[in-house]
Amino acid sequence: MIVASEAVFPNNIVKVIAERTPSIDSGLFVTRRPLRTSDPNESVGIFPGQWVPDERSQEMGRINPGEPTMQQYIVGIQAFVKDGDEEAGLARHSTLSYAIRSMLYRDAAIRVGFQSLAYTSNGVTERLRRWGIRSQRFLSNELSGSWLYLSTLEIWAETDSS
């Protein structure tokens, strides 16, 4: 049986973001998974998306030769707003999408949380070194008289192991 006492990469990144997201608005529904159609009208979903090892970072003489010392994770953040009024929904969604970007760039607690992320296993410690926003895509649609707005923001996070 797998016993885990702490979240490891990339879920520790997800955890830091999810803990700070309610600071945008206390009424937001925040979850650590992609959003579902049954989620509330103002929702944010944060979830891991991809792990990419940097094959150029394999070093000789390491405990585990052939294991890359650098890797990159992609984390997705979905923002969803559902509203019966097209203009009001668009305004609320664009504000929420902007607030998420601003939080990631400007929130001191996220910066401190990211700087402290590390996980040690079998004598090897992986640490978050750099991160940034890759892109944010926007979708909108109308369904049964309600306007649905969704954005998906991707951040990349680079770690190294020693």
Side-chain angles (χ1 to χ4, degrees):
M1 180 172 166
I2 296 173
V3 177
S5 59
E6 65 181 295
V8 301
F9 289 100
N11 285 313
N12 52 2
I13 298 168
V14 170
K15 181 180 178 194
V16 169
I17 297 168
E19 288 174 350
R20 290 301 299 156
T21 302
S23 69
I24 294 172
D25 185 299
S26 61
L28 280 175
F29 171 75
V30 179
T31 185
R32 296 179 192 180
R33 58 165 170 75
L35 295 175
R36 299 179 183 143
T37 56
S38 58
D39 288 334
N41 291 350
E42 291 183 351
S43 298
V44 175
I46 305 136
F47 55 94
Q50 187 177 19
W51 170 73
V52 180
D54 183 346
E55 296 300 331
R56 297 171 298 165
S57 69
Q58 295 176 1
E59 299 176 26
M60 301 298 283
R62 284 185 42 104
I63 295 171
N64 302 311
E67 178 181 352
T69 59
M70 297 177 67
Q71 44 269 325
Q72 190 176 89
Y73 296 94
I74 304 297
V75 173
I77 304 171
Q78 291 179 321
F80 174 73
V81 170
K82 179 180 175 182
D83 199 304
D85 181 287
E86 181 180 6
E87 292 298 318
L90 180 60
R92 286 175 39 226
H93 182 260
S94 62
T95 300
L96 175 58
S97 296
Y98 178 82
I100 290 170
R101 288 192 313 270
S102 295
M103 176 188 70
L104 291 169
Y105 280 131
R106 301 175 188 153
D107 188 275
I110 284 188
R111 191 170 31 261
V112 169
F114 280 180
Q115 290 170 347
S116 67
L117 286 181
Y119 180 73
T120 301
S121 176
N122 299 322
V124 176
T125 300
E126 183 177 1
R127 288 183 177 77
L128 182 62
R129 295 298 185 194
R130 300 181 328 130
W131 69 275
I133 295 175
R134 174 181 280 178
S135 66
Q136 189 173 36
R137 294 180 308 279
F138 298 86
L139 300 169
S140 62
N141 202 351
E142 186 269 334
L143 182 65
S144 301
S146 290
W147 287 93
L148 312 174
Y149 299 94
L150 177 73
S151 65
T152 303
L153 182 142
E154 287 185 346
I155 67 167
W156 56 269
E158 186 177 273
T159 65
D160 71 6
S161 301
S162 57

